[in-house]
C-alpha cells in the first residue's frame, strides 16, 4: 500500500509539473514572443531543471514568477532553452565530413551561401569559416548564422575567446584535417583571440526564428547540427519543410539526426554517406 501511494504521489507531482511547464512556456510566448511550446517536452524539462537547480528553486511555478517579474531572469531562461554553444573544432569527425562535402559541392557555385540555423555560437561559425578558407572558398562564400535570441546575436558579432584556449584546440583542428597552426586564423588583443577580419567579414549574424519565420534566401548548404533534437514532431516537420524551401537543387543538407525514409520530404534527398544525416537535394 505504501509503494502504491508513493507511485500515485509521484504521478500527481509529474502531472502538476507538466501543467506548470505548459503555463511557463505559454507565459514566455505571450510575454517575450519566444515559442518553445512545441519543443520536445523531455528536452525542455531537462533544461528547466538545470535552471532551477542553479537558482535553488523548488518548482517551475517559482521559476515562472521570477521570469515574469525579476530583471534578467527571462534572459537566463531563454539562453538555457536555446541551442548550447559548441567549442571551436569540437567534433573533428563532423568537421572532416564538412571539409569533404562542402569542399566538393560549393565549388560549382560562383557565389555559394551556407546557412547555420540555430547556430551553436562562434565555435560552429568560426570553424566553418576556417574550413572554407582552407578549401579556398571563403572569399566567395557567404555564411549566414542565425539565432532566435537577439541578445545572443549581438554577443556573437563581438565575441572572442581566450587566446590560451587555442593551443588546447590545436589537436582537434589537426584531427579534423587542418594542416596549419590554428593561431594563424586569429588576431589577439589583451589576451583575447578574435577571428581574422577577412574571415569574420564572410559571416552574417542575424535574428531568425525557425518556429515562426519564413524562408529568407536560397542556400547551397544548410547545416543544422543540434536544434532538431529539441523539436517536437510538428515543429521538426516545419523546420524540414523550411530547409527544403530554402535549399537550392543539388544543395547539401546536414542534420543532427537521420531523415526517416517515411518522411514526406525524403524522396527529394539522396544520402551522401551511409547511416549519416548528410543529404543532397535531388528533387
Amino acid at each position: 500500500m505504501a509503494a502504491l501511494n508513493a507511485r500515485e504521489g509521484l504521478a500527481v507531482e509529474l502531472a502538476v509539473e507538466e501543467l506548470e511547464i505548459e503555463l511557463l512556456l505559454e507565459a514566455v510566448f505571450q510575454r517575450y514572443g519566444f515559442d518553445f511550446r512545441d519543443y520536445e517536452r523531455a528536452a525542455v524539462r531537462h533544461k528547466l531543471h538545470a535552471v532551477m537547480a542553479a537558482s535553488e528553486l523548488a518548482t517551475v511555478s517559482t521559476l515562472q514568477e521570477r521570469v515574469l517579474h525579476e530583471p534578467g531572469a527571462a534572459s537566463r531562461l531563454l539562453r538555457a532553452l536555446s541551442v548550447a554553444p559548441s567549442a571551436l573544432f569540437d567534433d573533428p569527425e563532423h568537421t572532416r565530413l564538412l571539409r569533404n562535402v562542402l569542399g566538393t559541392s560549393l565549388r560549382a557555385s560562383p557565389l555559394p551561401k551556407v546557412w547555420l540555423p540555430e547556430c551553436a555560437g562562434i565555435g560552429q561559425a568560426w570553424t566553418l569559416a576556417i574550413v572554407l578558407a582552407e578549401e579556398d572558398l571563403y572569399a566567395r562564400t557567404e555564411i549566414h548564422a542565425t539565432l532566435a535570441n537577439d541578445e545572443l546575436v549581438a554577443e556573437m558579432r563581438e565575441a572572442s575567446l581566450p587566446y590560451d584556449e587555442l593551443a588546447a584546440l590545436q589537436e582537434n583542428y589537426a584531427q579534423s584535417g587542418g594542416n596549419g597552426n590554428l593561431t594563424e586564423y586569429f588576431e589577439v588583443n589583451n589576451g583575447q583571440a578574435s577571428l581574422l577580419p577577412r574571415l569574420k567579414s564572410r559571416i552574417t549574424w542575424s535574428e531568425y526564428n525557425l518556429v515562426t519565420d519564413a524562408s529568407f534566401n536560397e542556400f547551397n548548404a544548410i547545416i543544422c547540427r543540434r536544434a532538431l533534437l529539441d523539436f517536437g514532431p510538428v515543429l521538426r516537420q516545419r523546420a524540414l519543410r523550411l530547409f527544403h524551401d530554402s535549399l537550392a537543387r543539388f544543395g547539401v543538407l546536414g542534420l543532427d539526426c537521420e531523415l526517416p525514409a517515411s518522411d514526406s520530404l525524403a524522396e527529394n534527398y539522396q544520402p551522401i554517406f551511409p547511416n549519416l544525416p548528410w543529404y543532397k537535394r535531388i528533387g
Side-chain angles (χ1 to χ4, degrees), residues 4 10 34 39 49 56 63 69-70 74 80 85 87 98 133 136 139 158 165 168 182-183 194 204-205 242 244 255 277:
L4 178 60
L10 178 60
F34 291 92
Y39 275 51
H49 284 175
E56 299 183 344
L63 175 61
H69 300 289
E70 182 180 294
L98 195 68
D136 295 323
E158 305 299 327
E165 290 185 7
L182 188 56
T183 60
S194 183
T204 299
W205 290 95
L242 178 62
H244 185 72
L255 302 175

Side-chain angles (χ1 to χ4, degrees), residues 60-106:
V60 176
S61 293
T62 306
L63 175 61
Q64 176 178 319
E65 181 180 3
R66 288 201 178 185
V67 166
L68 292 176
H69 300 289
E70 182 180 294
S75 178
R76 291 191 294 272
L77 177 64
L78 293 174
R79 288 170 182 271
L81 292 176
S82 299
V83 172
S86 65
L88 203 66
F89 291 94
D90 70 329
D91 187 339
E93 180 58 29
H94 169 84
T95 308
R96 187 177 288 275
L97 294 175
L98 195 68
R99 291 181 188 276
N100 183 321
V101 175
L102 297 190
T104 301
S105 64
L106 298 185

Side-chain angles (χ1 to χ4, degrees), residues 17-27 37 41:
E17 183 176 78
E18 182 65 22
L19 176 58
E20 289 179 307
I21 291 174
E22 289 183 9
L23 293 173
L24 170 61
L25 298 183
E26 183 66 31
R37 295 173 298 177
R41 191 52 55 89

